[in-house]
């Protein structure tokens, strides 16, 4: 939320700053224009009135002295402005010490000489602003003929410049308080906007963590209220869907458990019959003997499937508990291989004296499943390696590797899924020594590993084949087992 709040505040401040700068620029332009216009209108009227009054008693053509007196009289009536009077080659300045050469331009002189009224021009001389008003003096005989006398009045504009500058300074001084006020208002607005956003974000995170009862309070009738209402509707639908799925899943688990339980009794009877038939199979005709062997093999496979289904049901129902005790894992692996007659078919590389608090039976199921799959679907040599993780000795790994065709990447991603069949060459199976498995073996192995706080990974071997790696935490006596 900090990033969004910052962006909102910055946006508010930038908009306010641009508005203040724009308003200041417009105010400066309008104020400067108004001040200068008022000054130049007043200067033109004053010059026209004064020159007309003084020129009425002025005799033409003038000499240098009379021209100087004329300039002085005009200047006295204009508030001591500098006045320059010209007649042909004569020129007189009301202030003999004033430098007027750079303030009266050739363009203004030409405009005065060619026109029949007052002209003005703003100039900058030595970095200071001036207003120069010029006008020709005409004969008062009705023809308005040019008498040859030109008058120029120079007005200092520094006071006007200072007035407009003071206005700009006052506006500029007010920008900082405006920015502070804008930032405060932006923070308040951001808080108002971001509060429901934070609530929505908090509810979304709780929903993502599994709290399907998380809701957002709906306040007002704006877009954020609509968003909160939509979120609540979505959460309601998700909660209802989750409840239906959980109910269906629970029914499915009960169905599998009930079916598996109901099958145990007839399967026990079938197993007894199959055992009797197998004992007398040598005395049966060839076709009957093959049928008896098939019945016995498939009955045994069905019995394993039922047992695996019941085991998976117990895992799903969270009814599985560890019968953990301090165990020598090296002896457990050797006993697993010897019990199933795999000692001669498997190469072992076992670290001696590795002890941990585990459920020996469940570790036996894991190892038997991994080694059985490697023997059935891989190619020799099959190796089983057991070691710990060096000096820390916090984890023990059991690695089962074969040199068969291996598993493609898409099969490695799904090899622990229930009933997943990679291909016809390599199928998932339980820890058995003949026939096809139930398709639940690796799933049960992974559940047993997780029950210990461990995991099982599968990868491609460096020399081909598949490598299954069981990792279990090394818990010692005195620690609580899961």
């Amino acid at each position: 939320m900090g990033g969004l709040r910052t962006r909102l505040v910055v946006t508010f401040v930038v908009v306010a700053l641009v508005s203040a700068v724009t308003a200041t620029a417009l105010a400066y332009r309008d104020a400067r224009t108004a001040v200068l216009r008022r000054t130049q209108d007043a200067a033109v009227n004053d010059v026209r009135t004064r020159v007309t009054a003084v020129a009425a008693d002025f005799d033409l053509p003038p000499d240098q002295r009379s021209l100087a007196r004329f300039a002085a009289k005009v200047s006295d009536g204009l508030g001591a402005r500098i006045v320059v009077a010209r007649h042909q080659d004569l020129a007189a300045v009301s202030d003999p010490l004033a430098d007027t050469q750079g303030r009266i331009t050739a363009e203004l002189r030409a405009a005065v000489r060619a026109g029949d009224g007052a002209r003005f021009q703003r100039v900058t001389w030595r970095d200071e602003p001036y207003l120069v008003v010029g006008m020709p003096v005409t004969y008062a005989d009705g023809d308005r003929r040019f008498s040859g006398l030109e008058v120029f009045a120079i007005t200092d504009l520094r006071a006007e410049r200072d007035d407009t500058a003071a206005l700009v300074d006052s506006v500029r001084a007010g920008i900082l308080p405006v920015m502070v006020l804008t930032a405060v208002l932006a923070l308040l607005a951001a808080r108002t906007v971001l509060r429901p956003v934070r609530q929505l974000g908090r509810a979304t995170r709780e929903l993502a963590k599994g709290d399907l009862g998380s809701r957002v309070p709906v306040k007002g009738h704006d877009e954020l209220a609509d968003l909160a209402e939509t979120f609540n509707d979505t959460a309601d639908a998700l909660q209802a869907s989750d409840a239906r799925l959980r109910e269906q899943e629970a029914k499915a688990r009960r169905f599998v458990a009930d079916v598996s339980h109901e099958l145990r009794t007839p399967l026990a009877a079938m197993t007894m019959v199959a055992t009797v038939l197998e004992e007398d199979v040598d005395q049966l005709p060839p076709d009957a003997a093959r049928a008896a062997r098939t019945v016995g093999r498939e009955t045994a496979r069905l019995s394993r499937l039922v047992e695996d289904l019941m085991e998976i049901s117990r895992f799903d129902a969270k009814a599985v508990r560890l019968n953990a005790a301090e165990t020598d894992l090296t002896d457990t692996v050797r006993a697993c291989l010897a019990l199933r007659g795999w000692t001669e078919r498997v190469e072992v590389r076992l670290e001696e004296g590795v002890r941990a608090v585990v459920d020996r039976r469940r570790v036996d199921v894991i190892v038997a499943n991994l080694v059985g799959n490697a023997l059935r679907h891989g190619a020799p040599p099959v190796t089983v390696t057991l070691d710990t993780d060096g000096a820390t000795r916090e984890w023990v790994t059991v690695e089962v590797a074969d040199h068969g065709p291996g598993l493609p990447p898409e099969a490695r991603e799904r090899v622990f899924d229930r009933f997943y069949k990679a291909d016809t060459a390599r199928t998932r199976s339980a820890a058995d020594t003949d026939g096809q498995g139930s398709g639940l073996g690796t799933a049960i192995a992974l559940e047993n590993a997780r029950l210990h706080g461990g995991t099982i990974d599968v990868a491609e071997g460096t020399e081909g084949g598949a490598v299954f790696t069981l990792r279990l935490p090394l818990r010692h006596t005195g620690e609580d087992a899961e």
Side-chain angles (χ1 to χ4, degrees), residues 17 50 62 97 104 111 119 141 152 169 196 209 239 247 255 262 304 316 370 400 432 479:
L17 181 61
R50 184 61 181 170
L97 300 179
I104 302 175
R119 298 289 186 270
D141 56 3
F152 299 90
D169 291 339
K209 292 178 181 178
Q239 189 174 28
E247 183 180 358
F255 175 78
E262 293 298 327
R304 286 192 297 272
D316 290 341
L370 300 182
V400 179
D432 55 0
E479 296 184 356

Side-chain angles (χ1 to χ4, degrees), residues 224-235:
L224 290 175
D226 293 341
L227 180 60
E229 188 173 355
T230 301
F231 173 84
N232 291 340
D233 293 341
T234 303

Side-chain angles (χ1 to χ4, degrees), residues 44-54 135:
V44 170
N45 289 332
D46 291 346
V47 170
R48 182 184 293 114
T49 301
R50 184 61 181 170
V51 169
T52 301
V54 175
M135 63 174 295

Side-chain angles (χ1 to χ4, degrees), residues 43-159:
V44 170
N45 289 332
D46 291 346
V47 170
R48 182 184 293 114
T49 301
R50 184 61 181 170
V51 169
T52 301
V54 175
D57 299 328
F58 186 67
D59 296 328
L60 292 174
D63 56 16
Q64 184 65 42
R65 181 176 298 178
S66 62
L67 189 62
R69 286 196 303 268
F70 175 82
K73 287 182 179 181
V74 173
S75 177
D76 292 341
L78 294 176
R81 291 189 179 98
I82 299 174
V83 175
V84 178
R86 291 178 174 273
H87 185 274
Q88 297 180 359
D89 295 334
L90 297 178
V93 182
S94 60
D95 184 0
L97 300 179
D99 183 4
T100 61
Q101 191 66 30
R103 285 182 271 189
I104 302 175
T105 64
E107 292 82 1
L108 182 60
R109 292 174 183 171
V112 170
R113 188 174 292 112
D116 58 352
R119 298 289 186 270
F120 65 87
Q121 185 179 39
R122 291 193 296 270
V123 298
T124 302
W125 182 69
R126 295 180 180 177
D127 297 328
E128 298 294 343
Y130 294 92
L131 175 66
V132 182
V133 179
M135 63 174 295
V137 177
T138 59
Y139 292 106
D141 56 3
D143 294 336
R144 301 190 64 81
R145 291 177 294 110
F146 180 44
S147 65
L149 179 61
E150 303 169 5
V151 181
F152 299 90
I154 302 173
T155 303
D156 192 346
L157 294 180
R158 284 179 291 184

Side-chain angles (χ1 to χ4, degrees), residues 11-30:
T11 301
F12 270 82
V13 172
V14 169
V15 170
L17 181 61
V18 171
S19 301
V21 171
T22 303
T24 301
L26 293 176
Y28 173 76
R29 185 194 66 182
D30 294 342

